[in-house]
Amino acid sequence: MRHLSYMVLASIAVLGCNRSAEAPKVATLPVKGTVTLDGKPLSGAQVVFLTGVPPTIFVGTTDDQGAYQLQGMESSLQGECKVTISQMLKPDGSPPAPGEPPAMAGATEQLPSKYSQLDATTLSAEVGAEGGTFDFALESK
């Protein structure tokens, strides 16, 4: 639940700073990679890169092969980033539907807090000017 609170606050901070009448454009960034869990591709996980000051989030979702590509409100991402990877599943093992709040669906976090919580993550990435490929090999224990 704490992870969700941080994500909501970060999103509000990012979106609340945009004072223009025009809606911000989401851009696909040259930052990609794969996520595995215990050596197998992790499908349906949310990968979040968070920059420092001002805080900005960039998000991607893994496909069936565990591959992700980040998207965000800005066209470039550079520097040291904290990374979280989260997989929320409903009691029946399915992910929440697009736009369905995980808490309302009864979904719970499937990954250890050392990956999924902003205040506990051990994951990070140094993103260069050209982006990059960042693979994450997670372990369930």
Side-chain angles (χ1 to χ4, degrees), residues 41-47 60-64 66-67 86-89 95-96:
L42 183 61
S43 174
Q46 185 177 56
V47 180
T61 302
T62 59
D63 63 16
D64 290 341
S86 173
Q87 186 185 47
M88 302 291 286
L89 296 178

Side-chain angles (χ1 to χ4, degrees), residues 1-13:
M1 208 51 187
R2 187 180 307 184
H3 174 69
L4 181 60
S5 298
Y6 285 119
M7 292 302 299
V8 169
L9 288 174
S11 297
I12 290 170

Side-chain angles (χ1 to χ4, degrees), residues 5-29:
S5 298
Y6 285 119
M7 292 302 299
V8 169
L9 288 174
S11 297
I12 290 170
V14 170
L15 297 176
C17 293
N18 185 0
R19 301 280 184 219
S20 70
E22 188 176 316
K25 292 182 172 68
V26 175
T28 299
L29 306 173

Side-chain angles (χ1 to χ4, degrees), residues 13-122:
V14 170
L15 297 176
C17 293
N18 185 0
R19 301 280 184 219
S20 70
E22 188 176 316
K25 292 182 172 68
V26 175
T28 299
L29 306 173
V31 177
K32 62 185 179 177
T34 59
V35 180
T36 58
L37 179 64
D38 298 328
K40 298 177 183 169
L42 183 61
S43 174
Q46 185 177 56
V47 180
V48 176
F49 280 48
L50 176 70
T51 64
V53 179
T56 306
I57 60 171
F58 300 88
V59 181
T61 302
T62 59
D63 63 16
D64 290 341
Q65 289 77 44
Y68 70 91
Q69 182 151 15
L70 295 184
Q71 294 187 327
M73 298 295 185
E74 296 178 8
S75 61
S76 66
L77 164 62
Q78 192 172 340
E80 182 67 27
C81 298
K82 276 189 153 185
V83 178
T84 61
I85 301 175
S86 173
Q87 186 185 47
M88 302 291 286
L89 296 178
K90 297 191 291 189
D92 66 1
S94 67
E100 180 179 29
M104 298 297 288
T108 58
E109 181 60 61
Q110 302 300 301
L111 299 177
S113 61
K114 67 182 178 180
Y115 307 129
S116 62
Q117 291 185 7
L118 185 59
D119 62 344
T121 186
T122 58

